[in-house]
C-alpha cells in the first residue's frame, strides 16, 4: 500500500482476487489509517494490529475498529462495505510516550453504545484498560513493571468473563489478571501450583487479592501468541521455541504438542468447531493440527517468508447435511487408547497408506470444507481450503457417524474418572540423530527441499509398535519408560480458576515431580531467541537447570519424523487457493468478518476486501482500477 506517486511495482499489487465463491474486491474508500493517510515509517516499530467490537447500537452501524500505528492508537466507527471511511473523525486517538502499544482486545460481553472495555498491551510490559467511547483510562496494570518487564505480545479477555484477562509476554510468561484487583507495590511472590513438561503454573502468594492471579511459564523464549478455543476451555500457545502447546485452561493440563518444521511459531488460530488448530511461523508454512488426534494432518506452502497471521473464515467453512465428520470412534476401548476423543488404533498412519487411501470411496454423507487464510512478511495473502480428502484420507466404513454433536471435539471426557493427559513427544523407537533439515522451506516446494540422504524414521507417526512401546499419543494410564511423555493426573472438577482450589491445591500440586523424560524433551526445543530470565522463582529451579544445560545440536533431528514434527513427505501438502501480493510492506493483520475480510500492513493501512456480492453502497464508485483514492493496494 503505497502513497500516491510512491508506488514502485504498482502493477504487482492486487486489488481483487477470485475464489469459487466469486470475486473479492478491495474497497479503497473503506481504507482506515492515520488521518493524513501518510504511510508510516515502520522501522523498528511494533506490528500494526486491529481489533473489532460490535456495540449493538440502534443505528445498525455498531462495528467499532481499533488499530495501533507506532506510538498512536486510533478508535473509529467501522463502516465496512457500507460507507466510505471518514478518517477526520476518530472517536478516540491516543499518542503514547516512552512506550508503544503492541496489541489490544475488546471485551464483547460488556460493550455498549456508551461504553467499551479495551485492553492495550505495551512494549515495556504494561497493560492499560481504557474506554475509548468515554475517553477514560480506568486502570494500568504492571505499571511499575514489577510483574514482567518484557514486551506484551498478546492480550485477550478470558471468554465468558467480564473481569478476567490473560497477558502474554516476550519473556515466555503469561499472567492471569482480574480487573478488580490491584497489582501491589512490590514484586509478587509465587508458589508452584502445577508443573508439566516444559511448562509451570504458579499462583501469587498474597494475603489479599492482588494481580496476577496466576503466572504461566511456557516453553523457552517468547510466547508469541495464544488463542482460546471456541468454547473457551482450551488454550493454544505459539512459542518462539517452535512448539505449539495446547492446554486445558481451567485445570492447566497439557493436552498436546506440535513442533514447527523450522524456527519459531508466530501465530495460531482455532477452527470454528474447535477440531483443528492452524499455526504459522518462521518455517514459511501453515501447519494444520488435529485437536483430537494430537498430530499434524497437513501443511500448506505458499508464503515466501514468515507467516505472521492465520485465521479461519467462519463464513466459508461448512459442514453440510447437518452431521459432523465421522471422525471419532464410539468404542470405549478406542476411547481409552487415544486421549480426548482419539480416532482409534486401527487407523493406519504411515505416509504411504494415508496417501494411497486418500481417494477411497467411503460413503460419507457429510461434506466438510474449512477455509482459512494467512498473511506474511512476504506481503502476500493466501487462502486455503481444508477438505475431506485431507481430513479423512481413508476412513474405514465401520467407523462412521457415532457422534452427532459437532462441538463434542472441544469438550474433555465427560466421565467422572481421572483423566490422564500425555503430551505428544519424541519418537519412542528413536529417530536417527543424523537427520538434518534444509535451511529453509521457503522458495520452491518444501517437499523437494529435503536432502535425499535423509534416513526414514524408524517409527512413523502413530505406527503400530510391536515391541509394546508407547506411541506418543497412547493413553496407557502411566508414562511408559521408553516414551518421553510426561503424565499428570487431575480429578474432574478441579479448576485452577477456582479461588478455593488455588488455596487448597497448592500443596497437592507442589509435589509433582519433574519426570526424567522431560530431560529428553528439552533437547528438542529449537533454541532461537532464548530468554530464560522469566524463570526467576525458586520453585522453577529444576526447569531452569534443565533448560539452560541443553545444547541446540540435536534439536531438529530429535523431533523430525515424529508425531511432533512429521517429515514433509509424511503429511499432505496443501497449495493455496489464492496467493496474492496485496501490500508493499509486511502484512500484520487478517480478520474475517461477515461481509468482508480485513488486512493491514506495517505502513498503517487497514484495508477492507468485500466478499463476493457484498460490495454494497460503494460499488458504483469503487472500481480499484481507476480509483481516485490517494492510496492503492
Amino acid at each position: 500500500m503505497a502513497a500516491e506517486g510512491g508506488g514502485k511495482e504498482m502493477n504487482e499489487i492486487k486489488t481483487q482476487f477470485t475464489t469459487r465463491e466469486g470475486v473479492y474486491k478491495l474497497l479503497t474508500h473503506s481504507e482506515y489509517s492515520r488521518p493524513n493517510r501518510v504511510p508510516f515509517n515502520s522501522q523498528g516499530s511494533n506490528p500494526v494490529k486491529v481489533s473489532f467490537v460490535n456495540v449493538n447500537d440502534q443505528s445498525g452501524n455498531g462495528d467499532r475498529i481499533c488499530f495501533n500505528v507506532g506510538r498512536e492508537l486510533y478508535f473509529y466507527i467501522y463502516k465496512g462495505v457500507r460507507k466510505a471511511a471518514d478518517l477526520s473523525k476518530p472517536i478516540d486517538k491516543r499518542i503514547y510516550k516512552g512506550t508503544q502499544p503492541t496489541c489490544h482486545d475488546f471485551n464483547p460481553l460488556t460493550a455498549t453504545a456508551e461504553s467499551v472495555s479495551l485492553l492495550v498491551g505495551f512494549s515495556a510490559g504494561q497493560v492499560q484498560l481504557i474506554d475509548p467511547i468515554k475517553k477514560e483510562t480506568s486502570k494500568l496494570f504492571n505499571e511499575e513493571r514489577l510483574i514482567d518487564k518484557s514486551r506484551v505480545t498478546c492480550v485477550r479477555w478470558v471468554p465468558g468473563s467480564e473481569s478476567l484477562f490473560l497477558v502474554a509476554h516476550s519473556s515466555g510468561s503469561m499472567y492471569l489478571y482480574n480487573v478488580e484487583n490491584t497489582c501491589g507495590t512490590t514484586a509478587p511472590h509465587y508458589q508452584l501450583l502445577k508443573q508439566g513438561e516444559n511448562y509451570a503454573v504458579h499462583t501469587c502468594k498474597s494475603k489479599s487479592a492482588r494481580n496476577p492471579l496466576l503466572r504461566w511459564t511456557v516453553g523457552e523464549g517468547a510466547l508469541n501468541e495464544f488463542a482460546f478455543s471456541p468454547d473457551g476451555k482450551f488454550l493454544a500457545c505459539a512459542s518462539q521455541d517452535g512448539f505449539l502447546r495446547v492446554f486445558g485452561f481451567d485445570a492447566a493440563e497439557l493436552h498436546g504438542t506440535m513442533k514447527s518444521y523450522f524456527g519459531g511459531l508466530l501465530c495460531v488460530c482455532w477452527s470454528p468447531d474447535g477440531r483443528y488448530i492452524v499455526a504459522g511461523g518462521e518455517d514459511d508454512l501453515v501447519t494444520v493440527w488435529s485437536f483430537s488426534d494430537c498430530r499434524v494432518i497437513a501443511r500448506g506452502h505458499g508464503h515466501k517468508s514468515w507467516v505472521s497471521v492465520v485465521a479461519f473464515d467462519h463464513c466459508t467453512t461448512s459442514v453440510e447435511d447437518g452431521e459432523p465428520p465421522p471422525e471419532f470412534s464410539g468404542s470405549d476401548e478406542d476411547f481409552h487408547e487415544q486421549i480426548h476423543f482419539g480416532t482409534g488404533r486401527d487407523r493406519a498412519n504411515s505416509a504411504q497408506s494415508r496417501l494411497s487411501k486418500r481417494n477411497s470411496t467411503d460413503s460419507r454423507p457429510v461434506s466438510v470444507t474449512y477455509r482459512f487464510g494467512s498473511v506474511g512478511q512476504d506481503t502476500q495473502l493466501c487462502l486455503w481450503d481444508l477438505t475431506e480428502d485431507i481430513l479423512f484420507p481413508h476412513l474405514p466404513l465401520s467407523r462412521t457417524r457415532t457422534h452427532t454433536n459437532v462441538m463434542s471435539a472441544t469438550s474433555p471426557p465427560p466421565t467422572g474418572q481421572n483423566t490422564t493427559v500425555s503430551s505428544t513427544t519424541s519418537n519412542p523407537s528413536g529417530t536417527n540423530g543424523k537427520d538434518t533439515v534444509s535451511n529453509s522451506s521457503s522458495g520452491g516446494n518444501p517437499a523437494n527441499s529435503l536432502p535425499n540422504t535423509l534416513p526414514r524414521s524408524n517409527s512413523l507417526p502413530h505406527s503400530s509398535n510391536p515391541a509394546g512401546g508407547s506411541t506418543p499419543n497412547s493413553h496407557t494410564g502411566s508414562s511408559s519408560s521408553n516414551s518421553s511423555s510426561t503424565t499428570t493426573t487431575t480429578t474432574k472438577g478441579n479448576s485452577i480458576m477456582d479461588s478455593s482450589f488455588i488455596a487448597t491445591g497448592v500443596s497437592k500440586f507442589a509435589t509433582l515431580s519433574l519426570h526424567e523424560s522431560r530431560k529428553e524433551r528439552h533437547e528438542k526445543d529449537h533454541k532461537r531467541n532464548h530468554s530464560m530470565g522469566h524463570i526467576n522463582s525458586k520453585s522453577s529451579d529444576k526447569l531452569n537447570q534443565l533448560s539452560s544445560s541443553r545444547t541446540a545440536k540435536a534439536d531438529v533431528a530429535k523431533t523430525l519424523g515424529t508425531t511432533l514434527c512429521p517429515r514433509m513427505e509424511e503429511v499432505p501438502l496443501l497449495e493455496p487457493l489464492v496467493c496474492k501480493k496485496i501490500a508493499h510492506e509486511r502484512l500484520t493483520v487478517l480478520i474475517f468478518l461477515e461481509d468482508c475480510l480485513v488486512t493491514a500492513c506495517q505502513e498503517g493501512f487497514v484495508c477492507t476486501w468485500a466478499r463476493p456480492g457484498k460490495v454494497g453502497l460503494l460499488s458504483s464508485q469503487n472500481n480499484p482500477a481507476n480509483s481516485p483514492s490517494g492510496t492503492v493496494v
Side-chain angles (χ1 to χ4, degrees):
M1 299 157 202
E4 189 172 16
K8 58 182 180 179
E9 307 169 343
M10 192 66 79
N11 58 329
E12 290 187 23
I13 302 299
K14 305 301 180 187
T15 56
Q16 65 181 46
F17 54 86
T18 305
T19 65
R20 66 171 186 275
E21 309 95 63
V23 180
Y24 289 75
K25 294 184 178 180
L26 175 70
L27 305 181
T28 52
H29 290 271
S30 293
E31 181 182 87
Y32 288 79
S33 66
R34 298 193 297 173
N36 57 12
R37 291 189 181 273
V38 173
F40 175 67
N41 182 0
S42 60
Q43 295 301 319
S45 295
N46 290 288
V48 173
K49 297 287 181 69
V50 172
S51 296
F52 284 99
V53 69
N54 190 293
V55 299
N56 299 315
D57 66 353
Q58 301 304 313
S59 67
N61 191 20
D63 288 328
R64 303 290 181 265
I65 182 173
C66 172
F67 57 92
N68 61 290
V69 183
R71 297 185 297 117
E72 303 164 13
L73 188 74
Y74 293 94
F75 182 72
Y76 282 97
I77 294 176
Y78 179 70
K79 300 177 181 178
V81 301
R82 295 180 299 277
K83 294 182 181 179
D86 184 359
L87 299 183
S88 65
K89 298 177 181 177
I91 300 175
D92 196 13
K93 172 188 174 182
R94 301 182 183 223
I95 301 178
Y96 295 94
K97 295 181 180 179
T99 184
Q100 293 186 359
T102 59
C103 51
H104 31 82
D105 190 43
F106 288 105
N107 192 330
L109 294 181
T110 60
T112 67
E114 294 78 36
S115 174
V116 293
S117 296
L118 176 66
L119 290 169
V120 184
F122 290 91
S123 56
Q126 303 94 335
V127 178
Q128 192 178 43
L129 175 63
I130 64 176
D131 187 332
I133 295 180
K134 293 182 177 178
K135 295 183 170 56
E136 291 179 355
T137 300
S138 56
K139 288 192 176 180
L140 185 59
F141 302 93
N142 193 28
E143 181 176 6
E144 302 298 327
R145 306 173 69 210
L146 297 172
I147 297 172
D148 200 306
K149 291 180 168 59
S150 65
R151 175 174 52 92
V152 176
T153 56
C154 188
V155 60
R156 292 275 187 274
W157 291 95
V158 174
S161 174
E162 296 185 2
S163 58
L164 296 176
F165 63 93
L166 194 61
V167 181
H169 289 258
S170 60
S171 63
S173 293
M174 284 189 301
Y175 302 89
L176 181 68
Y177 288 83
N178 187 326
V179 294
E180 308 298 332
N181 296 355
T182 60
C183 287
T185 55
T186 58
H189 294 279
Y190 297 104
Q191 190 164 348
L192 183 65
L193 177 66
K194 174 69 69 72
Q195 199 162 25
E197 186 168 2
N198 227 352
Y199 81 97
V201 182
H202 292 79
T203 182
C204 184
K205 291 197 298 183
S206 176
K207 293 180 179 178
S208 58
R210 65 169 282 182
N211 284 319
L213 303 178
L214 295 173
R215 181 185 72 175
W216 294 60
T217 307
V218 180
E220 299 179 12
L223 203 165
N224 289 320
E225 189 177 35
F226 63 83
F228 284 99
S229 61
D231 63 359
K233 294 179 180 179
F234 292 89
L235 183 71
C237 300
S239 297
Q240 190 61 40
D241 61 8
F243 280 90
L244 167 73
R245 296 176 178 88
V246 181
F247 298 95
F249 183 60
D250 283 356
E253 292 288 356
L254 184 63
H255 168 78
T257 317
M258 184 269 286
K259 173 73 171 62
S260 69
Y261 193 74
F262 176 83
L265 286 178
L266 304 177
C267 51
V268 63
C269 68
W270 292 78
S271 64
D273 58 6
R275 290 170 181 261
Y276 302 100
I277 295 173
V278 171
E282 296 175 358
D283 54 9
D284 306 352
L285 303 171
V286 292
T287 303
V288 185
W289 191 80
S290 168
F291 176 84
S292 59
D293 290 2
C294 292
R295 66 182 181 91
V296 176
I297 60 168
R299 290 190 179 101
H301 182 248
H303 287 284
K304 300 181 178 67
S305 187
W306 295 358
V307 180
S308 51
V309 184
V310 287
F312 272 87
D313 182 355
H314 57 282
C315 296
T316 312
T317 294
S318 63
V319 180
E320 297 176 6
D321 291 351
E323 208 167 344
E327 184 179 352
F328 306 122
S329 161
S331 75
D332 287 337
E333 181 182 3
D334 284 334
F335 173 81
H336 286 288
E337 184 66 17
Q338 294 293 115
I339 65 170
H340 286 268
F341 299 96
T343 54
R345 290 165 296 169
D346 57 344
R347 169 180 282 193
N349 284 281
S350 70
Q352 292 89 341
S353 63
R354 182 159 56 247
L355 293 174
S356 66
K357 297 187 180 183
R358 276 178 60 181
N359 297 322
S360 65
T361 57
D362 294 345
S363 58
R364 289 193 291 271
V366 182
S367 174
V368 185
T369 302
Y370 295 87
R371 166 71 55 81
F372 66 94
S374 57
V375 295
Q377 298 198 8
D378 56 0
T379 72
Q380 291 193 125
L381 164 70
C382 292
L383 295 182
W384 315 79
D385 268 359
L386 196 56
T387 51
E388 280 182 274
D389 58 337
I390 301 295
L391 300 175
F392 319 115
H394 55 86
L395 193 70
L397 287 172
S398 61
R399 311 175 61 76
T400 58
R401 298 180 297 282
T402 54
H403 286 258
T404 55
N405 182 1
V406 173
M407 290 306 294
S408 65
T410 63
S411 303
T415 60
Q417 65 191 18
N418 286 358
T419 303
T420 304
V421 180
S422 299
S423 60
T424 21
T425 54
S426 65
N427 186 349
S429 302
T431 308
N432 190 320
K434 297 181 181 179
D435 290 359
T436 55
V437 185
S438 60
N439 289 334
S440 171
S441 59
S442 60
N445 188 336
N448 298 327
S449 62
L450 284 169
N452 294 329
T453 56
L454 268 181
R456 299 285 295 180
S457 167
N458 295 330
S459 170
L460 290 171
H462 284 219
S463 61
S464 59
N465 242 347
S470 166
T471 55
N473 284 331
S474 67
H475 183 170
T476 57
S478 62
S479 181
S480 172
S481 60
N482 66 344
S483 162
S484 55
S485 63
T486 300
T487 310
T488 52
T489 304
T490 179
T491 308
K492 178 180 180 290
N494 280 353
S495 164
I496 62 168
M497 303 293 291
D498 183 355
S499 58
S500 62
F501 174 69
I502 290 178
T504 60
V506 171
S507 59
K508 177 179 177 182
F509 289 109
T511 58
L512 286 174
S513 63
L514 280 165
H515 292 237
E516 281 298 308
S517 53
R518 188 175 300 105
K519 295 181 180 179
E520 300 174 27
R521 174 64 176 278
H522 274 275
E523 295 180 2
K524 295 180 293 186
D525 293 284
H526 181 79
K527 304 212 167 178
R528 175 194 287 272
N529 290 352
H530 275 345
S531 170
M532 293 309 298
H534 59 283
I535 301 184
N536 52 18
S537 170
K538 291 182 180 178
S539 53
S540 294
D541 282 347
K542 289 184 180 179
L543 273 177
N544 205 348
Q545 292 166 8
L546 285 174
S547 52
S548 61
S549 63
R550 299 301 166 215
T551 62
K553 294 179 181 178
D555 290 350
V556 177
K558 286 242 177 184
T559 55
L560 186 67
T562 69
T563 45
L564 273 179
C565 180
R567 286 185 167 80
M568 293 303 294
E569 67 271 18
E570 291 173 355
V571 293
L573 191 65
L574 305 176
E575 293 186 358
L577 304 173
V578 171
C579 189
K580 301 292 184 184
K581 178 181 173 68
I582 61 169
H584 283 300
E585 283 292 329
R586 64 185 186 272
L587 292 162
T588 57
V589 170
L590 174 62
I591 300 173
F592 290 95
L593 301 177
E594 188 173 347
D595 49 12
C596 61
L597 61 93
V598 176
T599 61
C601 75
Q602 193 55 27
E603 284 185 314
F605 296 109
V606 181
C607 295
T608 298
W609 301 76
R611 292 184 186 270
K614 299 284 188 179
V615 175
L617 300 177
L618 292 174
S619 56
S620 60
Q621 61 181 14
N622 197 57
N623 182 355
N626 52 25
S627 168
S629 170
T631 56
V632 179
V633 172

